[in-house]
Each structure stands twice: as C-alpha cells, then as structure tokens.
C-alpha cells in the first residue's frame, strides 16, 4: 500500500510539474506578445532630497500589463526575460523610453534605469546607452544606471571596463539593493560608483532592529566618506524619513513620497510629456 501511495504521489508530483511547466510556457508565449504588442510600460517613482523634500530623480520601473492576469510584477517577468534571452531587447526599450521621457523634464531632474547583469554580456550596453542619449537629446549627466552586486560578480575585466566607460561619459552609476548580497567593500573602492542605495529590507526593520539601524548608519558613513550620494529605498513612514535624514542620508524613495506611476500622472512642473 505504501508503495502504491508513493507511486500515486509521484504521479501527482509529475502532474503538478507538468502544470508548472505548461504555465511557464504559456507565460513565455504571452511575454513574446507583450514585447511586440505594447503591453510593457515604464512607470516612474520619485527620489527626493531628504533635507528639502524636492524631487531630484525618478527611477524607471518596468510594468507588464497582461490582458488577462493584470499587472505582472518585474520580479516575475525580468527573470523570465533573462531566461528567454529577451533582456537586451527589454533593457533597450526601457532605456529609450526613459531617456525620451526625461528629456522633457526640468534639467535638474535625473532619470535612473535598472540594468540586468546579462546586459553586460554581449558588449552592446555602452553603444545602446549612447544611442538612447543621442536619440532623446538627454545629457549623459542626467542618466543614472542602477546595477546590483550580481553585475560585479560577473568578474571579467570587461564588466569593469564597461562601467568605467559609462562613467567616463558622465553617466552616474548606482549600487542598488546594497546590504543584501555580499556587499563586499572592495566593490566600492574598485568601481566608480556615484550612489549607493540602501536596500528596503533595512528600512522595513529600522523601527525594531538595532542591527538594521547599525547597518544603515555604517553605510551612510561609508558612502559619505567616499563622496557618494546615499539613497534609501522603501521609506513608507515619517519616522523612517526623519531617522534617515538625521543620520545624513541624502536621498529617499518610497511610498511616503510617491508610488511608481505612469509618466502622465507625474506632477512635474515644466515637463513636456507627450
Ligand atoms: P529595485 O530596482 O530595487 O526597485 C525598487 C522596488 O521597490 C520597486 O519594485 C518599487 O516599486 C519598490 N518600492 C519602492 N518604494 C517602496 C515602498 O515604500 N515600499 C515597498 N514595499 N516597496 C517599494 P518593483 O517596481 O516591483 O521592481 C522590482 C525590481 O524589479 C526592481 O527592484 C528591479 O530590480 C527590477 N526591475 C524593475 N524594472 C526593471 C527594468 O527596467 N530592468 C531591470 N533589469 N530590472 C527592473
Ligand atoms: Mg533600482
Ligand atoms: Mg533597489
Ligand atoms: Mg530590489
């Protein structure tokens, strides 16, 4: 009986694997349609100066408006795109969209775009970025690229060279989600970062964990002494903003200041959104 039961649960397992595989297949198919069919859109979330409250930058965050499933989050479809070999195409789309949009904003407002580690692999990132800048007319100083440690773990001299070249053009380089990975301090010394973004996990726990506050203070101190802008993500409450500001954090991002929204919903004075 035990054997039969095992066989049964094995079949159930296989069936559910099958279902999962089919589901994923379907999602992949849908995603190909999404890329060509205009179901992808870029939303924008403000980063504000914590001392003045002024918006200094918007981060471009990709959204997939699925006709049946509704909004599919990037944590789901970005890995899917990476697996399908579609991340370059998508990365290019976000860069061109975001630069075009930002070119209509007041000069002092920057645009931040997330870049996947895989976009560093085929050697085309630099030319894609330069192309997006020249097509949109946006100056390089107004563009920031957000990368995670996963990019730096690619090792290889090419990754470092690409980052240096981007920086040499005047483009800002932010280290995203800082504190969650290996957070090797040597990264901060060996790459020309202009900004560190403290991961939202630390801000979430700020109110109840002395350890989170210790990490936050240490990262702010480190960033400041290296001459970097220090930003914190995931700020939802006033006391989090106050704490970060008082500790010397430069910029804040989070629902307290604004959720990611479509370009036409942004209240940017003097913005020429089409
Ligand atoms: P990220 O770059 O760390 O972006 C910050 C995430 O935190 C965003 O999630 C944002 O909506 C969310 N967030 C901002 N403020 C708050 C807050 O106050 N509370 C909470 N709970 N969350 C907040 P989102 O838009 O779902 O994006 C998730 C991740 O997907 C991003 O993390 C980024 O790694 C990736 N991603 C998004 N767009 C792109 C893209 O165009 N290209 C690539 N390669 N990755 C992207
Ligand atoms: Mg980011
Ligand atoms: Mg982040
Ligand atoms: Mg993240």
């Amino acid at each position: 009986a035990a054997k039969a039961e095992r066989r049964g649960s094995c079949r159930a397992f296989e069936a559910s694997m099958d279902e999962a595989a089919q589901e994923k297949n379907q999602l992949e198919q849908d995603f190909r349609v999404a890329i060509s069919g205009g179901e992808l859109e870029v939303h924008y979330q403000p980063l504000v100066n914590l001392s003045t409250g002024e918006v200094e930058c918007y981060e471009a965050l990709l959204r997939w408006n699925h006709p049946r499933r509704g909004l599919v989050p990037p944590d789901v479809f970005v890995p899917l795109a990476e697996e399908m070999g579609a991340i370059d195409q998508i990365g290019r789309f976000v860069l061109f969209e975001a630069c075009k949009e930002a070119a209509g904003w007041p000069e002092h407002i920057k645009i931040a775009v997330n870049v996947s580690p895989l976009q560093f692999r085929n050697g085309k990132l630099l030319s894609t970025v330069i192309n997006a800048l020249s097509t949109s007319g946006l100056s390089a100083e107004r563009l920031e690229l957000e990368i995670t440690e996963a990019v730096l773990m690619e090792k290889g001299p090419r990754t470092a060279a690409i980052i240096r070249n981007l920086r040499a053009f005047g483009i800002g380089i932010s280290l995203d989600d800082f504190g969650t990975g290996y957070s090797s301090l040597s990264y901060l010394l060996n790459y020309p970062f202009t900004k560190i973004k403290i991961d939202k996990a630390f801000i979430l726990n700020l109110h109840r964990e002395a350890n989170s506050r210790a990490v936050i203070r240490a990262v702010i101190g480190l960033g400041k002494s290296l001459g970097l802008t220090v930003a914190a993500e995931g700020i939802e409450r006033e006391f989090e903003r106050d704490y970060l500001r008082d500790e010397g954090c430069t910029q804040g991002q989070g629902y307290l200041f604004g959720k990611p929204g479509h370009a036409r919903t942004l209240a940017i004075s003097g913005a020429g959104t089409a």
Side-chain angles (χ1 to χ4, degrees), residues 45 59-63 74-75 78 87 94 114-116 119 146 176-177 200 233-236 253-255 260:
Q45 186 182 31
E59 179 175 7
L61 293 161
L62 197 53
R63 296 288 180 262
D75 292 326
V78 168
I87 194 67
V94 178
N114 293 284
V115 179
S116 155
Q119 290 175 263
E146 297 197 358
D176 206 352
D177 302 344
K200 55 178 174 294
E233 54 178 37
I235 302 177
E236 298 185 1
Q253 176 181 24
Y255 298 165

Side-chain angles (χ1 to χ4, degrees), residues 37-107:
E39 288 171 22
L40 294 182
E41 50 181 57
V42 183
H43 284 199
Y44 299 88
Q45 186 182 31
L47 278 90
V48 309
N49 180 311
L50 284 179
S51 306
T52 66
E54 301 249 329
V55 175
E56 296 184 330
C57 180
Y58 283 92
E59 179 175 7
L61 293 161
L62 197 53
R63 296 288 180 262
W64 177 11
N65 247 319
H66 191 287
R68 278 169 292 109
R69 294 168 200 255
L71 269 189
V72 182
D75 292 326
V76 172
F77 70 81
V78 168
L80 186 75
E82 288 174 340
E83 241 185 274
M84 291 166 58
I87 194 67
D88 281 315
Q89 198 182 343
I90 284 159
R92 196 172 177 283
F93 168 76
V94 178
L95 267 167
F96 275 74
E97 255 324 282
C99 289
K100 188 176 74 181
E101 195 61 46
W105 299 343
E107 291 269 330

Side-chain angles (χ1 to χ4, degrees), residues 13-267:
F13 177 71
E14 276 165 18
S16 75
M17 279 299 286
D18 242 41
E19 242 170 71
Q22 265 176 33
E23 162 104 16
K24 190 161 163 247
N25 239 311
Q26 183 63 50
L27 203 60
E28 278 194 25
Q29 271 183 44
D30 289 359
F31 194 62
R32 287 189 207 285
V33 175
I35 299 171
S36 51
E39 288 171 22
L40 294 182
E41 50 181 57
V42 183
H43 284 199
Y44 299 88
Q45 186 182 31
L47 278 90
V48 309
N49 180 311
L50 284 179
S51 306
T52 66
E54 301 249 329
V55 175
E56 296 184 330
C57 180
Y58 283 92
E59 179 175 7
L61 293 161
L62 197 53
R63 296 288 180 262
W64 177 11
N65 247 319
H66 191 287
R68 278 169 292 109
R69 294 168 200 255
L71 269 189
V72 182
D75 292 326
V76 172
F77 70 81
V78 168
L80 186 75
E82 288 174 340
E83 241 185 274
M84 291 166 58
I87 194 67
D88 281 315
Q89 198 182 343
I90 284 159
R92 196 172 177 283
F93 168 76
V94 178
L95 267 167
F96 275 74
E97 255 324 282
C99 289
K100 188 176 74 181
E101 195 61 46
W105 299 343
E107 291 269 330
H108 67 278
I109 300 183
K110 297 186 180 189
I111 178 75
V113 178
N114 293 284
V115 179
S116 155
L118 298 190
Q119 290 175 263
F120 281 80
R121 287 206 185 153
N122 68 4
K124 286 191 192 145
L125 182 62
L126 186 65
S127 62
T128 303
V129 170
I130 301 300
N131 218 322
L133 289 173
S134 60
T135 305
S136 63
L138 189 77
S139 69
E141 287 71 21
R142 292 180 60 199
L143 176 64
E144 292 177 356
L145 298 182
E146 297 197 358
I147 63 174
T148 60
E149 284 173 339
V151 169
L152 312 177
M153 311 220 7
E154 292 267 299
K155 288 278 180 221
R158 270 181 51 218
T159 305
I162 295 166
I163 293 174
R164 283 197 199 95
N165 279 329
L166 289 162
R167 185 68 202 107
F169 268 97
I171 295 156
I173 309 289
S174 305
L175 186 50
D176 206 352
D177 302 344
F178 191 75
T180 53
Y182 292 93
S183 302
S184 167
L185 298 182
S186 66
Y187 292 149
L188 290 177
L189 301 175
N190 294 334
Y191 295 87
F193 290 109
T194 48
K195 185 189 287 188
I196 310 178
K197 292 184 83 176
I198 305 173
D199 192 79
K200 55 178 174 294
F202 298 100
I203 286 56
L204 182 73
N205 293 321
L206 179 161
H207 70 287
R208 58 187 178 95
E209 272 185 13
N211 283 346
S212 284
R213 290 192 294 275
V215 170
I216 289 169
R217 280 199 305 273
V219 174
I220 293 171
L222 186 65
K224 292 243 137 169
S225 48
L226 291 171
L228 309 178
T229 299
V230 182
E233 54 178 37
I235 302 177
E236 298 185 1
R237 292 167 283 196
E238 282 175 11
F239 71 81
E240 294 163 345
R241 175 200 59 200
D242 296 345
Y243 180 85
L244 288 156
R245 182 197 54 217
D246 294 347
E247 289 298 333
C249 186
T250 333
Q251 276 182 345
Q253 176 181 24
Y255 298 165
L256 180 66
F257 311 110
K259 292 194 171 181
H262 194 280
R264 68 176 165 270
T265 68
L266 304 177

